[in-house]
Amino acid sequence: MALTNEVTSVLNEQINKEMYSAYLYLTFADYYEDRGLKGFANWYEIQAKEEMDHALAIRRYLLDNDFKPTMEAIAKPDKVFENDLAPLEAGLAHEEYVTSLIHHCYEVAHEAHDVRTMKFLDWFVSEQGEEETNARDMITNMKLFGCDPKGLYDLDREYQARTYVQSASLNL
Ligand code: FEO
C-alpha cells in the first residue's frame, strides 16, 4: 500500500527537522568546547549523531516505501548562549517542539489509516519521551551542582562517559 502524499510530506519535513536538531546540538557542543567543558561537548556531539540517525531512519523508511525524499536546505542555528544553563534550557524547549512534530506525524498517519507508518513512528514517540527526561535531568543537575566548581567538574566527567551507540531498533 502506497503512503499518502500527506504522510510522505510530513515525514520528508521531519528529515529536515532532525538534521536541524543535529546542527543545533553541534552549536551546543561548540559552546561547551569553548568553555572547556569537554564532557558536555561530548554529550551534545553524541546527541547530534543520534539526530542524524533519526533523519536517516526516516529517509530509509520513505525509500523502502517507494518514495524518493527531497533534501531541503537546513536552517542556520542562531542562538547565542549567556551561561552554561542556557543551552540545556534551549535543549529541553527544542525536544518538546520535536515531540510535537513527531506527534503531528503520527496524527497524519492515523488520519490516513496508515498503520505501518504509525508502527514506524512508535519508536520515535518513545524516544522523545526519553529525550525530554534527559534534557530535564541535565537542567536539574546543572541547577543543583553547576554553581560549584567541583560539582561542575563532576558533572562534566559524567557526561564525558557517554558513548555513541547506534540504536539497534533503527533501520538505517
Ligand atoms: Fe530526533 Fe531529539 O529528536
Side-chain angles (χ1 to χ4, degrees):
M1 200 173 92
L3 305 182
T4 66
N5 290 343
E6 289 77 15
V7 168
T8 56
S9 170
V10 286
L11 291 182
N12 203 129
E13 276 173 36
Q14 193 61 31
I15 294 175
N16 188 276
K17 303 291 186 187
E18 301 289 346
M19 293 301 286
Y20 173 78
S21 300
Y23 256 36
L24 181 68
Y25 289 142
L26 287 177
T27 69
F28 291 16
D30 291 345
Y31 168 85
Y32 288 118
E33 188 86 23
D34 190 50
R35 286 273 298 125
L37 293 167
K38 294 210 172 213
F40 283 84
N42 172 62
W43 206 94
Y44 279 112
E45 277 177 27
I46 291 171
Q47 196 59 32
K49 285 181 188 164
E50 286 198 355
E51 298 300 350
M52 284 188 270
D53 285 349
H54 301 167
L56 290 174
I58 299 169
R59 172 183 172 272
R60 174 49 52 200
Y61 179 77
L62 288 174
L63 288 169
D64 288 350
N65 282 276
D66 203 24
F67 178 82
K68 185 174 176 296
T70 308
M71 297 302 121
E72 302 290 354
I74 302 167
K76 179 180 177 180
D78 57 0
K79 288 189 173 28
V80 178
F81 304 115
E82 305 281 326
N83 54 56
D84 298 339
L85 183 62
L88 308 180
E89 290 184 324
L92 176 59
H94 183 69
E95 285 305 330
E96 287 172 344
Y97 167 63
V98 174
T99 296
S100 75
L101 297 175
I102 293 290
H103 288 190
H104 178 63
C105 290
Y106 197 95
E107 283 161 19
V108 171
H110 186 260
E111 278 165 22
H113 307 292
D114 183 343
V115 177
R116 186 187 305 150
T117 299
M118 287 159 67
K119 193 165 184 305
F120 167 71
L121 288 169
D122 273 347
W123 183 89
F124 287 85
V125 172
S126 305
E127 173 74 2
Q128 281 311 120
E130 285 174 27
E131 293 199 339
E132 284 186 28
T133 302
N134 287 338
R136 263 192 302 273
D137 287 351
M138 290 181 86
I139 291 171
T140 304
N141 286 339
M142 180 61 89
K143 284 182 176 170
L144 279 174
F145 309 115
C147 44
D148 164 59
K150 173 75 169 75
L152 187 60
Y153 176 78
D154 287 344
L155 269 185
D156 195 56
R157 289 277 297 258
E158 185 182 324
Y159 296 137
Q160 184 73 56
R162 183 183 186 190
T163 53
Y164 169 67
V165 184
Q166 194 175 76
S167 170
S169 325
L170 284 177
N171 178 27
L172 300 180

